[in-house]
């Protein structure tokens, strides 16, 4: 397959997008990748009353945020505390997490829970007894029917065989390992843990012995990361033969270096397609479509299904609201300050429709469709997508970024290089 990045063509489409919708950088919030909202959503004034509106909602996806990490990488904007957390701090966090779980069990219905995703931060930074307690706590309260996933930091000191076995015995069936890069010179420049690439690769191989669904994350746009080093990371990741590979981008790259981002996305998609992977998102490739590797949690988010986030800094999306738990330093579920009152946003129906379309193009809410089925949209909103978003669909089709047939709307290879621009066109923000 030929590289889909043709600079003249890409620049021309970028210019037309900018002329159509100039991007005001002041309008873009890069402080939290999960919480950047359309400017035409409205803040919700009432501090707690919005929870009454969604009382009894059946939660389909649960995200649990563990707010500890070994290092403060330059590019990371997630809420966390850095360095070794004392046993007392870890115990206090789990006590508070248990109280938050009890609080939400009185508010919502978890009988139809599809996925549980534990992230961070770094869940495996917890010491042995607290790591064990976390999984016992989750197992006591939640039984996901489709997926139980955990994000892991690839450090030899905190990713032992015992921990992999404990997660397996606890029902975990998918792990995502945040490699970011195999190059230690880049890690050093970005204040990330340094260890030989052979150690990181061995940890990934160890995970594949326990789990049938292992994915790794790569990151482009890091300080000191040349394009050549990025290509080396693609090759190193391919050698691991994992189920899926993600390519994320630093927020600064998205904000300031559009062409660099598009060149990297093109190289990522081209490289892995040539090696037999299938593309199931603008930034994810999978060994075989409709097989292990597809992320049910991410698919649910792309459909706008009900997501509850617990733990400090976690974000919830329960239509029509989005809200965020307070920061780690304020986390105390025993008070009325569990939810950051300034974070509560009520989305309009127009925003929900645009968001559904946008996420479907970015993340493919069906593994076998590179976008969305029209019938899924109609079933969700009770209206025809052409009536709601016909002008946008025509524009994107004219630029060659999507194809629109009688039953579906799918993104093209070229379109996958423009997901950020499409996002801004639809929602006036990057996410």
């Amino acid at each position: 397959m030929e590289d889909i990045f043709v600079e003249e063509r890409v620049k021309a489409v970028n210019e037309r997008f900018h002329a159509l919708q100039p991007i005001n950088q002041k309008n873009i919030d890069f402080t939290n990748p999960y919480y950047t909202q359309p400017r035409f959503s409205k803040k919700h004034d009432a501090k707690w009353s919005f929870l009454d509106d969604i009382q009894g909602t059946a939660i389909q996806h649960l995200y649990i945020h563990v707010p500890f990490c070994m290092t403060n990488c330059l590019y990371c904007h997630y809420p966390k505390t850095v360095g070794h957390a004392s046993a007392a701090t870890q115990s206090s966090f789990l006590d508070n997490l248990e109280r938050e779980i009890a609080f939400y069990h009185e508010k919502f219905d978890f009988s139809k829970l599809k996925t549980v995703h534990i992230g961070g931060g770094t869940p495996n930074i917890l010491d042995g007894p607290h790591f064990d307690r976390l999984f016992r706590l989750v197992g006591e309260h939640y039984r996901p029917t489709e997926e139980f996933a955990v994000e892991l930091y690839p450090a030899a000191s905190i990713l032992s065989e015992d921990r992999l076995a404990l997660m397996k015995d606890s029902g975990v069936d998918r792990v995502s390992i945040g490699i970011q890069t195999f190059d230690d010179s880049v890690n050093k420049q970005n204040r990330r843990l340094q260890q030989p690439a052979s150690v990181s690769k061995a940890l990934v191989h160890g995970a594949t012995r326990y789990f049938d669904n292992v994915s790794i994350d790569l990151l482009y746009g890091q300080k000191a990361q040349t394009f050549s080093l990025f290509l080396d990371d693609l090759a190193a990741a391919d050698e691991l033969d994992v189920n899926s590979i993600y390519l994320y981008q630093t927020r600064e790259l998205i904000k300031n270096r559009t062409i660099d981002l598009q060149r990297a996305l093109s190289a990522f998609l081209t490289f892995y397609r040539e090696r037999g992977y299938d593309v199931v998102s603008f930034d994810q490739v999978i060994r075989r479509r409709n097989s292990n590797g597809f992320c049910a949690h991410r698919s649910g988010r792309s459909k706008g299904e009900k997501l509850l986030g617990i733990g400090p800094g976690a974000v919830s999306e329960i239509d029509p609201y989005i809200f965020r738990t307070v920061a780690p330093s304020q986390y105390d579920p025993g008070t009325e300050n569990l939810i950051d009152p300034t974070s509560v946003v009520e989305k309009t129906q127009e925003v929900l429709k645009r968001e559904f379309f946008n996420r479907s193009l970015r993340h493919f809410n069906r593994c076998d469709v590179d976008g969305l089925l029209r019938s899924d949209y109609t079933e969700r909103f009770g209206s025809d997508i052409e009536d709601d978003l016909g002008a946008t669909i025509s524009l994107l089709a004219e630029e060659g970024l999507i194809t629109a047939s009688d039953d579906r709307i799918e993104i093209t290879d070229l379109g996958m290089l423009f997901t950020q621009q499409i996002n801004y066109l639809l929602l006036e923000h990057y996410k």
Side-chain angles (χ1 to χ4, degrees):
M1 172 183 170
E2 293 184 4
D3 192 330
I4 56 178
F5 182 82
V6 179
E7 188 160 350
E8 294 76 13
R9 167 72 167 141
V10 171
K11 282 185 175 180
V13 179
N14 276 325
E15 288 174 0
R16 285 194 287 274
F17 262 103
H18 185 74
L20 180 71
Q21 185 110 5
I23 297 173
N24 182 350
Q25 299 288 0
K26 294 180 180 179
N27 294 349
I28 303 174
D29 175 13
F30 288 91
T31 59
N32 188 319
Y34 278 103
Y35 189 81
T36 49
Q37 286 310 300
R39 288 179 61 76
F40 46 90
S41 291
K42 60 180 180 178
K43 292 287 185 181
H44 198 271
D45 295 330
K47 188 173 183 179
W48 283 101
S49 65
F50 80 96
L51 285 177
D52 296 334
D53 296 341
I54 52 179
Q55 178 95 13
T57 294
I59 301 299
Q60 294 156 301
H61 304 278
L62 179 71
Y63 172 72
I64 301 172
H65 186 73
V66 179
F68 307 118
C69 208
M70 298 179 70
T71 57
N72 189 19
C73 302
L74 289 180
Y75 44 73
C76 181
H77 298 285
Y78 289 93
K80 60 189 179 297
T81 57
V82 177
H84 177 72
S86 68
T89 298
Q90 295 181 46
S91 182
S92 176
F93 159 68
L94 290 168
D95 289 344
N96 284 334
L97 188 70
E98 189 164 10
R99 291 161 68 195
E100 186 178 2
I101 288 172
F103 173 80
Y104 281 126
H105 267 276
E106 294 183 359
K107 298 289 183 183
F108 301 124
D109 172 14
F110 294 91
S111 64
K112 297 179 175 62
L113 189 67
K114 295 181 179 181
T115 72
V116 171
H117 189 106
I118 302 178
T122 309
N124 54 318
I125 200 174
L126 295 172
D127 61 31
H130 295 100
F131 191 73
D132 178 75
R133 182 185 171 191
L134 171 65
F135 285 92
R136 283 191 285 106
L137 182 61
V138 173
E140 288 169 3
H141 292 91
Y142 305 110
R143 291 286 187 272
T145 59
E146 295 184 9
E147 180 179 275
F148 184 2
V150 181
E151 297 176 15
L152 299 170
Y153 195 107
S157 60
I158 58 172
L159 192 52
S160 63
E161 294 275 337
D162 288 347
R163 295 194 169 206
L164 293 171
L166 185 150
M167 288 187 289
K168 178 73 172 178
D169 292 343
S170 299
V172 173
D173 51 19
R174 179 179 184 275
V175 295
S176 176
I177 302 176
I179 296 293
Q180 318 309 355
T181 179
F182 294 96
D183 190 284
D184 256 0
S185 65
V186 176
N187 281 327
K188 183 176 182 180
Q189 290 291 317
N190 290 276
R191 298 202 300 255
R192 191 168 174 83
L193 174 75
Q194 297 159 60
Q195 64 187 8
S198 58
V199 173
S200 298
K201 293 177 181 179
L203 293 173
V204 174
H205 282 304
T208 61
R209 292 196 295 271
Y210 285 86
F211 303 101
D212 295 329
N213 191 346
V214 177
S215 72
I216 63 173
D217 297 342
L218 300 178
L219 183 68
Y220 182 62
Q222 302 173 73
K223 183 180 180 181
Q225 183 186 36
T226 65
F227 195 74
S228 176
L229 290 176
F230 166 65
L231 296 180
D232 290 344
D233 281 338
L234 298 185
D238 180 47
E239 294 173 2
L240 296 174
D241 196 31
V242 292
N243 302 92
S244 65
I245 302 170
Y246 289 87
L247 175 65
Y248 293 101
Q249 309 89 40
T250 64
R251 311 303 290 172
E252 293 74 20
L253 178 71
I254 295 171
K255 186 174 183 179
N256 298 316
R257 293 160 52 194
T258 299
I259 286 291
D260 283 354
L261 166 61
Q262 291 167 322
R263 182 182 288 108
L265 288 174
S266 178
F268 171 76
L269 298 174
T270 303
F271 180 91
Y272 287 112
R273 270 192 176 155
E274 289 177 346
R275 286 154 181 79
Y277 287 80
D278 288 323
V279 174
V280 290
S281 156
F282 82 108
D283 63 356
Q284 184 195 8
V285 295
I286 188 171
R287 269 300 181 191
R288 288 184 308 280
R289 208 150 190 166
N290 296 312
S291 69
N292 286 340
F294 193 63
C295 178
H297 183 84
R298 195 186 208 199
S299 174
R301 289 198 72 231
S302 75
K303 297 173 185 175
E305 293 179 340
K306 308 298 188 293
L307 165 72
L308 176 67
I310 64 174
V315 174
S316 299
E317 294 182 310
I318 304 173
D319 291 350
Y321 300 106
I322 180 169
F323 54 95
R324 180 174 54 197
T325 311
V326 294
S329 61
Q330 303 168 296
Y331 184 54
D332 183 2
T335 73
E336 288 192 351
N337 297 322
L338 174 61
I339 296 170
D340 176 2
T342 67
S343 75
V344 183
V345 172
E346 182 176 359
K347 298 179 183 179
T348 65
Q349 190 74 351
E350 179 188 5
V351 167
L352 292 172
K353 291 177 177 180
R354 288 169 172 263
E355 194 169 67
F356 183 89
F357 180 43
N358 177 63
R359 291 185 180 183
S360 298
L361 294 180
R362 289 168 64 88
H363 302 305
F364 305 3
N365 57 35
R366 289 174 175 260
C367 191
D368 57 338
V369 179
D370 297 351
L372 77 160
L373 294 177
R374 293 175 182 269
S375 58
D376 286 348
Y377 182 94
T378 301
E379 180 180 351
R380 172 72 187 277
F381 297 108
S383 58
D384 190 294
I385 193 170
E386 288 290 343
D387 294 336
D388 297 335
L389 296 166
T392 301
I393 291 169
S394 296
L395 171 66
L396 298 179
E398 289 170 5
E399 293 292 347
L401 307 183
I402 64 171
T403 60
S405 61
D406 290 342
D407 69 328
R408 65 188 62 196
I409 298 170
E410 297 189 297
I411 195 165
T412 64
D413 287 347
L414 179 65
M416 281 189 277
L417 306 187
F418 285 87
T419 54
Q420 302 294 354
Q421 290 83 346
I422 294 171
N423 193 320
Y424 196 82
L425 175 70
L426 285 162
L427 295 165
E428 295 187 9
H429 76 101
Y430 280 166
K431 184 176 181 181

